[in-house]
Amino acid sequence: MASTAGGHARICLGCWDQMKMPIPIRGPFAIPFRAFGITRSKMNPNICTICERSFRRVKKQQHITAAATILFADIRGFTELSDRINPAILGEIVSTFHDQCAQAIWAHDGIVNKQMGDGLMAIFNFPIRTERHAAAAIAAAIDIQRRCVEVLERLGSRGGELPDKAIGVGVGIHSGDVEIGEFSSFRSDFTAIGGTVNLTSRLESQAAAGEILVSAEAAAAAPDLVADAETRSLTLKGIEHPVSACVLRMHA
Ligand SMILES: [Zn+2]
């Protein structure tokens, strides 16, 4: 594992972990690569754009199955907030949210794979490998909550008429096999799809402001981090049986 746990890597950690290929992304050796359009990825500054664009060609496969932990996060009550708050401040809240989440995710070697308005999806254990990927995602989520609570409350308080409850972030985390690849003919970046991803998204939709909902599978892989957590049984849309999740609550 080439991970520097959020530090500044000289070579792409993804290319190294996946293919043992040293692709320079910082320093003088990175300059000729830049001429060929190989630069640092926006998904994580410690991986390169080969990991995004040439994934299929390098792997010679349309997609692969990989064990990963998926994290979804969004700003709870955002729609309600949008109607009440000055659009400039709203924009600031969203960009601050994305910045803070990215810092937390990168610090634990995850990638910000998708950003969707007031929400995002992160992948842990691909392309940067980390054996304790569930623990990495949970640690990132705790970090997200810590960072966002302070910043969002400060920003929100400048917006005037706030909803009764404070602005907060909800997070869902689940581990399992995902299909990773390029699933669009006009977008060349990779993503993860499958049941694990769907369940994570549904979990996240049930998380209240300040909550991290961790699936039983992810919790089992990181028992030390969820030791004091309450367990909640959830009925999730499109999933037949109730799903049990550990609830980490960062603040009252
Ligand atoms: Zn790379």
Side-chain angles (χ1 to χ4, degrees), residues 36-93:
F36 290 100
I38 299 165
T39 56
R40 293 200 292 268
S41 168
K42 289 187 172 67
M43 294 189 199
N44 180 317
N46 282 333
I47 69 170
C48 78
T49 46
I50 289 182
C51 297
E52 280 174 42
R53 292 205 298 251
S54 308
F55 175 77
R56 183 172 36 162
R57 284 187 291 276
V58 171
K59 288 276 184 187
K60 296 188 176 61
Q61 279 171 310
Q62 291 288 338
H63 50 88
I64 59 159
T65 305
T69 297
I70 305 294
L71 177 155
F72 274 83
D74 83 348
I75 304 173
R76 306 316 308 189
F78 186 76
T79 315
E80 192 184 284
L81 190 68
S82 320
D83 298 334
R84 298 183 184 218
I85 209 168
N86 172 332
I89 291 166
L90 199 66
E92 208 179 326
I93 289 172

Side-chain angles (χ1 to χ4, degrees), residues 20-250:
K20 294 291 172 248
M21 257 168 60
I23 305 292
I25 51 171
R26 286 187 180 85
F29 293 115
I31 294 165
F33 283 83
R34 240 172 271 157
F36 290 100
I38 299 165
T39 56
R40 293 200 292 268
S41 168
K42 289 187 172 67
M43 294 189 199
N44 180 317
N46 282 333
I47 69 170
C48 78
T49 46
I50 289 182
C51 297
E52 280 174 42
R53 292 205 298 251
S54 308
F55 175 77
R56 183 172 36 162
R57 284 187 291 276
V58 171
K59 288 276 184 187
K60 296 188 176 61
Q61 279 171 310
Q62 291 288 338
H63 50 88
I64 59 159
T65 305
T69 297
I70 305 294
L71 177 155
F72 274 83
D74 83 348
I75 304 173
R76 306 316 308 189
F78 186 76
T79 315
E80 192 184 284
L81 190 68
S82 320
D83 298 334
R84 298 183 184 218
I85 209 168
N86 172 332
I89 291 166
L90 199 66
E92 208 179 326
I93 289 172
V94 172
S95 67
T96 304
F97 163 77
H98 282 297
D99 289 349
Q100 296 298 322
C101 287
Q103 295 300 329
I105 290 158
W106 296 342
H108 298 279
D109 284 333
I111 58 164
V112 181
N113 184 242
K114 283 191 209 165
Q115 293 179 310
M116 312 144 276
D118 64 313
L120 60 80
M121 169 180 149
I123 305 174
F124 292 82
N125 204 30
F126 191 91
I128 306 173
R129 287 202 181 135
T130 164
E131 209 173 301
R132 282 177 51 83
H133 47 93
I138 295 168
I142 292 169
D143 200 7
I144 285 172
Q145 291 291 10
R146 278 199 196 120
R147 286 164 173 269
C148 287
V149 111
E150 189 192 310
V151 182
L152 290 176
E153 272 176 2
R154 180 159 48 78
L155 282 172
S157 67
R158 289 185 358 222
E161 303 155 61
L162 271 181
D164 296 339
K165 49 184 194 278
I167 315 167
V169 172
V171 185
I173 293 171
H174 179 43
S175 303
D177 281 348
V178 295
E179 291 299 308
I180 293 174
E182 295 162 8
F183 300 100
S184 162
S185 51
F186 57 91
R187 289 279 305 268
S188 58
D189 48 353
F190 70 88
T191 189
I193 60 166
T196 300
V197 178
N198 299 343
L199 195 141
T200 317
S201 165
R202 304 253 153 85
L203 261 184
E204 188 263 3
S205 71
Q206 301 287 309
E211 282 184 351
I212 302 164
L213 296 189
V214 183
S215 74
E217 289 81 357
D224 45 325
L225 292 178
V226 294
D228 302 324
E230 135 201 3
T231 304
R232 191 181 291 166
S233 178
L234 300 162
T235 308
L236 302 180
K237 198 179 152 197
I239 293 160
E240 206 180 325
H241 303 289
V243 171
S244 133
C246 287
V247 186
L248 297 173
R249 203 176 292 103
M250 302 316 293

